[in-house]
CSV table of all heavy atoms in Angstrom, one decimal:
chain,number,residue,atom,x,y,z
A,1,THR,N,-20.6,16.2,25.7
A,1,THR,CA,-21.7,15.4,25.2
A,1,THR,C,-21.3,15.1,23.7
A,1,THR,O,-21.3,16.1,22.9
A,1,THR,CB,-23.0,16.1,25.3
A,1,THR,OG1,-23.3,16.4,26.7
A,1,THR,CG2,-24.1,15.2,24.7
A,2,MET,N,-21.1,13.9,23.4
A,2,MET,CA,-20.7,13.5,22.0
A,2,MET,C,-21.9,12.8,21.4
A,2,MET,O,-22.1,11.6,21.7
A,2,MET,CB,-19.5,12.6,22.0
A,2,MET,CG,-19.0,12.2,20.6
A,2,MET,SD,-18.5,13.5,19.5
A,2,MET,CE,-16.9,13.9,20.2
A,3,THR,N,-22.6,13.5,20.5
A,3,THR,CA,-23.7,12.9,19.8
A,3,THR,C,-23.1,12.2,18.6
A,3,THR,O,-21.9,12.4,18.2
A,3,THR,CB,-24.7,13.9,19.3
A,3,THR,OG1,-24.0,14.8,18.4
A,3,THR,CG2,-25.3,14.7,20.5
A,4,ILE,N,-23.9,11.4,17.9
A,4,ILE,CA,-23.5,10.7,16.7
A,4,ILE,C,-23.1,11.8,15.6
A,4,ILE,O,-22.1,11.6,14.9
A,4,ILE,CB,-24.5,9.7,16.2
A,4,ILE,CG1,-24.5,8.5,17.2
A,4,ILE,CG2,-24.2,9.2,14.8
A,4,ILE,CD1,-25.4,7.4,16.8
A,5,ALA,N,-24.0,12.8,15.5
A,5,ALA,CA,-23.7,13.9,14.5
A,5,ALA,C,-22.4,14.6,14.8
A,5,ALA,O,-21.6,14.8,13.9
A,5,ALA,CB,-24.8,14.9,14.6
A,6,HIS,N,-22.1,14.8,16.1
A,6,HIS,CA,-20.8,15.5,16.5
A,6,HIS,C,-19.7,14.5,16.2
A,6,HIS,O,-18.6,15.0,15.7
A,6,HIS,CB,-20.8,15.9,17.9
A,6,HIS,CG,-19.7,16.8,18.3
A,6,HIS,ND1,-19.8,18.0,18.8
A,6,HIS,CD2,-18.3,16.6,18.2
A,6,HIS,CE1,-18.6,18.6,19.0
A,6,HIS,NE2,-17.7,17.7,18.7
A,7,LEU,N,-19.9,13.3,16.5
A,7,LEU,CA,-18.8,12.3,16.2
A,7,LEU,C,-18.5,12.2,14.7
A,7,LEU,O,-17.3,12.2,14.3
A,7,LEU,CB,-19.2,10.9,16.7
A,7,LEU,CG,-18.2,9.8,16.5
A,7,LEU,CD1,-16.9,10.0,17.2
A,7,LEU,CD2,-18.8,8.4,16.9
A,8,VAL,N,-19.5,12.2,13.9
A,8,VAL,CA,-19.3,12.2,12.4
A,8,VAL,C,-18.5,13.5,12.0
A,8,VAL,O,-17.6,13.4,11.3
A,8,VAL,CB,-20.6,12.0,11.7
A,8,VAL,CG1,-20.4,12.3,10.2
A,8,VAL,CG2,-21.2,10.6,11.9
A,9,PHE,N,-19.0,14.6,12.6
A,9,PHE,CA,-18.3,15.9,12.3
A,9,PHE,C,-16.8,15.8,12.7
A,9,PHE,O,-15.9,16.2,12.0
A,9,PHE,CB,-19.0,17.0,13.0
A,9,PHE,CG,-18.3,18.3,13.0
A,9,PHE,CD1,-18.3,19.1,11.8
A,9,PHE,CD2,-17.6,18.8,14.1
A,9,PHE,CE1,-17.6,20.3,11.8
A,9,PHE,CE2,-16.9,20.0,14.0
A,9,PHE,CZ,-16.9,20.7,12.9
A,10,ALA,N,-16.6,15.3,13.9
A,10,ALA,CA,-15.2,15.2,14.5
A,10,ALA,C,-14.3,14.3,13.6
A,10,ALA,O,-13.2,14.6,13.3
A,10,ALA,CB,-15.2,14.8,15.9
A,11,LEU,N,-14.9,13.2,13.2
A,11,LEU,CA,-14.1,12.2,12.4
A,11,LEU,C,-13.8,12.8,11.0
A,11,LEU,O,-12.7,12.7,10.5
A,11,LEU,CB,-14.9,10.9,12.2
A,11,LEU,CG,-15.0,10.0,13.4
A,11,LEU,CD1,-16.0,8.9,13.2
A,11,LEU,CD2,-13.6,9.4,13.7
A,12,MET,N,-14.8,13.5,10.4
A,12,MET,CA,-14.6,14.0,9.1
A,12,MET,C,-13.6,15.2,9.1
A,12,MET,O,-12.8,15.3,8.2
A,12,MET,CB,-16.0,14.5,8.5
A,12,MET,CG,-16.9,13.3,8.2
A,12,MET,SD,-16.2,12.0,7.2
A,12,MET,CE,-16.2,12.8,5.6
A,13,THR,N,-13.8,16.1,10.1
A,13,THR,CA,-12.8,17.2,10.1
A,13,THR,C,-11.4,16.7,10.5
A,13,THR,O,-10.4,17.3,10.0
A,13,THR,CB,-13.3,18.3,11.1
A,13,THR,OG1,-13.5,17.7,12.4
A,13,THR,CG2,-14.5,19.0,10.6
A,14,THR,N,-11.3,15.7,11.3
A,14,THR,CA,-10.0,15.1,11.6
A,14,THR,C,-9.4,14.6,10.3
A,14,THR,O,-8.2,14.8,10.0
A,14,THR,CB,-10.1,14.0,12.6
A,14,THR,OG1,-10.6,14.6,13.8
A,14,THR,CG2,-8.7,13.4,12.9
A,15,ALA,N,-10.2,13.8,9.5
A,15,ALA,CA,-9.7,13.3,8.2
A,15,ALA,C,-9.3,14.4,7.3
A,15,ALA,O,-8.2,14.4,6.6
A,15,ALA,CB,-10.7,12.4,7.6
A,16,TYR,N,-10.1,15.5,7.3
A,16,TYR,CA,-9.8,16.6,6.4
A,16,TYR,C,-8.5,17.3,6.8
A,16,TYR,O,-7.7,17.6,5.9
A,16,TYR,CB,-11.0,17.7,6.5
A,16,TYR,CG,-10.7,18.9,5.7
A,16,TYR,CD1,-11.0,19.0,4.4
A,16,TYR,CD2,-10.2,20.0,6.3
A,16,TYR,CE1,-10.8,20.2,3.7
A,16,TYR,CE2,-9.9,21.2,5.6
A,16,TYR,CZ,-10.2,21.3,4.3
A,16,TYR,OH,-10.0,22.4,3.6
A,17,ILE,N,-8.3,17.5,8.1
A,17,ILE,CA,-7.0,18.1,8.6
A,17,ILE,C,-5.8,17.2,8.2
A,17,ILE,O,-4.8,17.7,7.7
A,17,ILE,CB,-7.1,18.3,10.1
A,17,ILE,CG1,-7.9,19.6,10.4
A,17,ILE,CG2,-5.7,18.5,10.7
A,17,ILE,CD1,-8.2,19.8,11.8
A,18,LEU,N,-5.9,15.9,8.4
A,18,LEU,CA,-4.8,15.0,8.1
A,18,LEU,C,-4.5,15.0,6.6
A,18,LEU,O,-3.3,14.9,6.2
A,18,LEU,CB,-5.1,13.6,8.6
A,18,LEU,CG,-5.2,13.4,10.1
A,18,LEU,CD1,-5.6,12.0,10.5
A,18,LEU,CD2,-3.9,13.8,10.8
A,19,ILE,N,-5.5,15.1,5.7
A,19,ILE,CA,-5.3,15.2,4.3
A,19,ILE,C,-4.7,16.6,3.9
A,19,ILE,O,-3.8,16.7,3.2
A,19,ILE,CB,-6.6,14.9,3.5
A,19,ILE,CG1,-7.0,13.5,3.7
A,19,ILE,CG2,-6.4,15.3,2.0
A,19,ILE,CD1,-8.4,13.1,3.3
A,20,ALA,N,-5.3,17.7,4.5
A,20,ALA,CA,-4.9,19.0,4.3
A,20,ALA,C,-3.4,19.2,4.6
A,20,ALA,O,-2.7,20.0,3.9
A,20,ALA,CB,-5.7,20.0,5.0
A,21,ILE,N,-2.9,18.6,5.7
A,21,ILE,CA,-1.5,18.7,6.1
A,21,ILE,C,-0.6,18.3,5.0
A,21,ILE,O,0.4,18.9,4.7
A,21,ILE,CB,-1.3,17.9,7.4
A,21,ILE,CG1,-1.9,18.7,8.6
A,21,ILE,CG2,0.2,17.7,7.6
A,21,ILE,CD1,-1.8,17.9,9.9
A,22,GLN,N,-1.0,17.2,4.3
A,22,GLN,CA,-0.2,16.7,3.2
A,22,GLN,C,0.0,17.7,2.1
A,22,GLN,O,1.1,17.9,1.6
A,22,GLN,CB,-0.7,15.4,2.7
A,22,GLN,CG,-1.0,14.3,3.7
A,22,GLN,CD,0.2,14.1,4.6
A,22,GLN,OE1,1.3,13.8,4.1
A,22,GLN,NE2,0.0,14.1,5.9
A,23,PHE,N,-1.1,18.4,1.7
A,23,PHE,CA,-1.1,19.4,0.7
A,23,PHE,C,-0.3,20.6,1.2
A,23,PHE,O,0.5,21.2,0.5
A,23,PHE,CB,-2.5,19.8,0.3
A,23,PHE,CG,-3.2,18.8,-0.5
A,23,PHE,CD1,-4.1,17.9,0.0
A,23,PHE,CD2,-2.9,18.6,-1.9
A,23,PHE,CE1,-4.8,17.0,-0.7
A,23,PHE,CE2,-3.5,17.6,-2.6
A,23,PHE,CZ,-4.5,16.8,-2.1
A,24,GLU,N,-0.6,21.0,2.4
A,24,GLU,CA,0.1,22.2,3.0
A,24,GLU,C,1.6,22.0,3.0
A,24,GLU,O,2.4,22.8,2.7
A,24,GLU,CB,-0.4,22.5,4.4
A,24,GLU,CG,0.3,23.7,5.0
A,24,GLU,CD,-0.3,24.1,6.4
A,24,GLU,OE1,-1.2,23.4,6.8
A,24,GLU,OE2,0.3,25.0,7.0
A,25,GLU,N,2.0,20.8,3.5
A,25,GLU,CA,3.5,20.5,3.5
A,25,GLU,C,4.1,20.5,2.2
A,25,GLU,O,5.2,20.9,2.0
A,25,GLU,CB,3.7,19.2,4.3
A,25,GLU,CG,3.4,19.5,5.8
A,25,GLU,CD,4.1,18.5,6.7
A,25,GLU,OE1,4.3,17.3,6.3
A,25,GLU,OE2,4.4,18.9,7.9
A,26,ARG,N,3.4,20.0,1.2
A,26,ARG,CA,3.9,20.0,-0.2
A,26,ARG,C,4.2,21.5,-0.6
A,26,ARG,O,5.2,21.8,-1.2
A,26,ARG,CB,3.0,19.3,-1.1
A,26,ARG,CG,3.5,19.2,-2.6
A,26,ARG,CD,2.5,18.7,-3.5
A,26,ARG,NE,1.4,19.6,-3.6
A,26,ARG,CZ,0.2,19.4,-4.0
A,26,ARG,NH1,-0.1,18.2,-4.4
A,26,ARG,NH2,-0.8,20.3,-4.1
A,27,ASP,N,3.2,22.3,-0.3
A,27,ASP,CA,3.4,23.7,-0.7
A,27,ASP,C,4.5,24.4,0.1
A,27,ASP,O,5.2,25.2,-0.4
A,27,ASP,CB,2.1,24.5,-0.4
A,27,ASP,CG,0.9,24.1,-1.4
A,27,ASP,OD1,1.2,23.5,-2.4
A,27,ASP,OD2,-0.2,24.4,-1.1
A,28,LEU,N,4.7,24.0,1.4
A,28,LEU,CA,5.7,24.6,2.2
A,28,LEU,C,7.1,24.1,1.7
A,28,LEU,O,8.1,24.9,1.7
A,28,LEU,CB,5.6,24.2,3.7
A,28,LEU,CG,4.4,24.9,4.4
A,28,LEU,CD1,4.1,24.2,5.7
A,28,LEU,CD2,4.7,26.3,4.6
A,29,VAL,N,7.2,22.9,1.2
A,29,VAL,CA,8.5,22.4,0.6
A,29,VAL,C,8.7,23.2,-0.7
A,29,VAL,O,9.9,23.6,-0.9
A,29,VAL,CB,8.4,20.9,0.3
A,29,VAL,CG1,9.6,20.5,-0.6
A,29,VAL,CG2,8.4,20.1,1.6
A,30,THR,N,7.7,23.5,-1.5
A,30,THR,CA,7.9,24.3,-2.7
A,30,THR,C,8.3,25.7,-2.3
A,30,THR,O,9.2,26.3,-3.0
A,30,THR,CB,6.5,24.4,-3.5
A,30,THR,OG1,6.2,23.0,-3.8
A,30,THR,CG2,6.7,25.2,-4.7
A,31,ALA,N,7.7,26.3,-1.3
A,31,ALA,CA,8.1,27.7,-0.9
A,31,ALA,C,9.4,27.8,-0.2
A,31,ALA,O,10.2,28.7,-0.5
A,31,ALA,CB,7.0,28.2,0.0
A,32,PHE,N,9.8,26.8,0.6
A,32,PHE,CA,11.0,27.0,1.5
A,32,PHE,C,12.0,25.9,1.2
A,32,PHE,O,13.1,26.0,1.8
A,32,PHE,CB,10.6,27.0,3.0
A,32,PHE,CG,9.6,28.1,3.3
A,32,PHE,CD1,8.3,27.8,3.7
A,32,PHE,CD2,10.1,29.4,3.3
A,32,PHE,CE1,7.5,28.9,4.0
A,32,PHE,CE2,9.2,30.4,3.6
A,32,PHE,CZ,7.9,30.2,4.0
A,33,GLY,N,11.8,24.9,0.4
A,33,GLY,CA,12.8,24.0,0.0
A,33,GLY,C,13.4,23.2,1.1
A,33,GLY,O,12.8,22.7,2.0
A,34,ARG,N,14.8,23.1,1.0
A,34,ARG,CA,15.6,22.3,2.0
A,34,ARG,C,15.3,22.7,3.4
A,34,ARG,O,15.3,21.9,4.3
A,34,ARG,CB,17.1,22.5,1.6
A,34,ARG,CG,18.0,21.9,2.6
A,34,ARG,CD,18.0,20.4,2.7
A,34,ARG,NE,18.1,19.7,1.4
A,34,ARG,CZ,17.6,18.4,1.3
A,34,ARG,NH1,17.1,17.8,2.2
A,34,ARG,NH2,17.7,17.8,0.1
A,35,GLN,N,15.1,24.0,3.6
A,35,GLN,CA,14.9,24.5,5.0
A,35,GLN,C,13.6,23.8,5.6
A,35,GLN,O,13.7,23.3,6.8
A,35,GLN,CB,14.7,26.0,5.0
A,35,GLN,CG,14.8,26.7,6.3
A,35,GLN,CD,14.7,28.2,6.1
A,35,GLN,OE1,14.3,28.7,5.1
A,35,GLN,NE2,15.0,28.9,7.2
A,36,TYR,N,12.5,23.7,4.8
A,36,TYR,CA,11.4,23.0,5.4
A,36,TYR,C,11.6,21.5,5.4
A,36,TYR,O,11.1,20.8,6.4
A,36,TYR,CB,10.1,23.3,4.6
A,36,TYR,CG,8.9,22.8,5.3
A,36,TYR,CD1,8.3,23.6,6.3
A,36,TYR,CD2,8.3,21.6,5.0
A,36,TYR,CE1,7.3,23.2,7.1
A,36,TYR,CE2,7.2,21.1,5.8
A,36,TYR,CZ,6.7,21.9,6.8
A,36,TYR,OH,5.6,21.5,7.5
A,37,LEU,N,12.2,20.9,4.5
A,37,LEU,CA,12.5,19.5,4.5
A,37,LEU,C,13.3,19.1,5.8
A,37,LEU,O,13.0,18.1,6.4
A,37,LEU,CB,13.2,19.0,3.3
A,37,LEU,CG,12.4,19.0,2.0
A,37,LEU,CD1,13.3,18.7,0.8
A,37,LEU,CD2,11.3,17.9,2.1
A,38,ASP,N,14.3,19.9,6.1
A,38,ASP,CA,15.1,19.6,7.3
A,38,ASP,C,14.2,19.7,8.6
A,38,ASP,O,14.3,18.9,9.5
A,38,ASP,CB,16.2,20.6,7.4
A,38,ASP,CG,17.3,20.3,6.4
A,38,ASP,OD1,17.3,19.2,5.8
A,38,ASP,OD2,18.1,21.3,6.2
A,39,TYR,N,13.4,20.8,8.6
A,39,TYR,CA,12.4,21.0,9.7
A,39,TYR,C,11.5,19.8,9.8
A,39,TYR,O,11.2,19.2,10.9
A,39,TYR,CB,11.7,22.3,9.5
A,39,TYR,CG,10.5,22.5,10.4
A,39,TYR,CD1,10.7,22.7,11.8
A,39,TYR,CD2,9.2,22.6,10.0
A,39,TYR,CE1,9.7,23.0,12.7
A,39,TYR,CE2,8.2,22.9,10.9
A,39,TYR,CZ,8.4,23.1,12.2
A,39,TYR,OH,7.4,23.3,13.0
A,40,LYS,N,11.0,19.3,8.7
A,40,LYS,CA,10.1,18.2,8.6
A,40,LYS,C,10.7,16.9,9.2
A,40,LYS,O,10.1,16.1,9.9
A,40,LYS,CB,9.6,18.0,7.2
A,40,LYS,CG,8.5,17.0,7.0
A,40,LYS,CD,8.0,16.9,5.6
A,40,LYS,CE,7.0,15.8,5.4
A,40,LYS,NZ,6.6,15.7,4.0
A,41,ARG,N,12.0,16.7,8.8
A,41,ARG,CA,12.7,15.5,9.3
A,41,ARG,C,12.9,15.5,10.8
A,41,ARG,O,12.9,14.5,11.4
A,41,ARG,CB,14.1,15.4,8.6
A,41,ARG,CG,14.0,14.7,7.3
A,41,ARG,CD,15.4,14.4,6.7
A,41,ARG,NE,15.5,14.5,5.3
A,41,ARG,CZ,15.5,15.6,4.6
A,41,ARG,NH1,15.3,16.7,5.1
A,41,ARG,NH2,15.6,15.5,3.3
């Protein structure tokens, strides 16, 4: 059962995850360098 409130929640958390991935991957590149860049590619 998808209510409008749940839909807004799902959309917002999806957007949050997609944005958070960008920050997390930046940190992973800082931590692991070329190794993570190769994995990302």
Side-chain angles (χ1 to χ4, degrees):
T1 301
M2 180 63 78
T3 63
I4 291 187
H6 189 122
L7 178 63
V8 169
F9 171 77
L11 288 169
M12 296 305 290
T13 53
T14 299
Y16 177 84
I17 284 173
L18 294 175
I19 293 167
I21 286 172
Q22 306 311 308
F23 288 103
E24 181 179 355
E25 290 200 328
R26 184 187 65 199
D27 292 345
L28 289 167
V29 168
T30 300
F32 299 111
R34 173 66 51 205
Q35 195 175 13
Y36 191 81
L37 286 170
D38 291 343
Y39 173 64
K40 187 176 176 181
R41 273 192 215 71

